Amino acid sequence: MTQSPQLIVWDFDGVLNANTRRGHLSWGATLKADLGLDAGSLSAHLNDSGRLRDIMRGRRDLSDTVAAWLSTQGASVTAEDLLSYWFRKAALPDAEVLGWLQRHPARHVIGTNNETRRSAYIETQMGYAAHVEHVFSSGRMGVAKPDPGFFARIERWAALTPSQILLVDDAPENIAAARKRGWQAFLFTSDTRANLPERLGLTKE
């Protein structure tokens, strides 16, 4: 029988935040209409030469990277404007999932692959600092899921054995990495989300 977790680590995008469609982030769908900018071009710039990988690990600044791209677009939009738009459009909290978090008596943290600016936005403007003990983000930690170091950092902070920790995540590679360390894990998808309350041991209201 699976033991009840002492700590639940919640992924953010795709779990607590419903901003993905078929595995892709949806915030850029209106970028052209709203700001006259091409989301595909921005995505290509961010992913070129490992830029996004470095941004997500705190090795490169997102604002500077976005500003460099904007300078090639002939746009009057500033990096600050674009990031504000991005973070606001991508803020789609899943109230049902948050409700499950709030009902469960375990300790709760967020474990997310996000850079430092958006991590702060998640805590403050989106208000998640009030719902969890800590936000573990790759940009602050210098390591990202599914690297074992990401999970090890949380284990040390929590002072718990791996088997006492449950990861709720929508990425199969992160689930596999957590299980390899001995964590409990739940793969969160549109097909499995209805099973999460039962997995958490929550009774129907």
Side-chain angles (χ1 to χ4, degrees):
M1 182 176 179
T2 303
Q3 65 174 305
S4 180
Q6 300 300 302
L7 176 71
I8 302 178
V9 180
W10 298 84
D11 180 40
F12 189 69
D13 293 308
V15 178
L16 288 172
N17 195 46
N19 66 329
T20 61
R21 295 175 184 171
R22 298 184 178 90
H24 299 286
L25 298 177
S26 60
W27 74 268
T30 56
L31 186 60
K32 188 72 172 180
D34 292 342
L35 298 182
L37 298 171
D38 184 74
S41 175
L42 173 58
S43 178
H45 178 79
L46 290 173
N47 285 285
D48 185 47
S49 302
R51 290 189 183 104
L52 187 60
R53 177 181 175 85
D54 288 344
I55 289 168
M56 288 300 174
R57 289 160 177 78
R59 301 169 189 162
R60 186 189 292 259
D61 185 76
L62 176 61
S63 182
D64 291 346
T65 306
V66 167
W69 174 74
L70 286 169
S71 71
T72 70
Q73 303 300 301
S76 59
V77 177
T78 67
E80 183 179 351
D81 292 337
L82 179 52
L83 292 183
S84 177
Y85 174 89
W86 175 347
F87 296 170
R88 186 175 68 255
K89 293 289 286 188
L92 298 168
D94 191 317
E96 184 175 41
V97 179
L98 180 59
W100 295 333
L101 180 158
Q102 292 171 326
R103 288 175 57 200
H104 198 281
R107 299 167 64 189
H108 300 275
V109 298
I110 289 172
T112 178
N113 285 350
N114 262 296
E115 55 78 50
T116 56
R117 283 182 171 80
R118 186 151 181 262
S119 299
Y121 186 92
I122 289 166
E123 288 175 325
T124 56
Q125 280 90 333
M126 293 189 73
Y128 279 89
H131 302 298
V132 298
E133 288 185 40
H134 193 74
V135 174
F136 288 94
S137 73
S138 58
R140 293 167 174 170
M141 298 162 69
V143 63
K145 296 177 291 184
D147 190 292
F150 188 97
F151 302 99
R153 186 79 63 85
I154 296 175
E155 291 167 10
R156 290 195 297 270
W157 172 86
L160 294 171
T161 61
S163 63
Q164 294 175 302
I165 305 173
L166 169 66
L167 174 68
V168 181
D169 203 294
D170 66 334
E173 62 271 24
N174 297 339
I175 293 296
R179 286 177 173 156
K180 188 174 181 179
R181 291 195 65 84
W183 286 30
Q184 302 176 50
F186 181 92
L187 179 61
F188 185 94
T189 69
S190 57
D191 293 327
T192 66
R193 66 173 290 144
N195 300 326
L196 183 54
E198 181 180 359
R199 173 62 184 82
L200 296 175
L202 298 176
T203 58
K204 292 184 179 180
E205 291 183 318

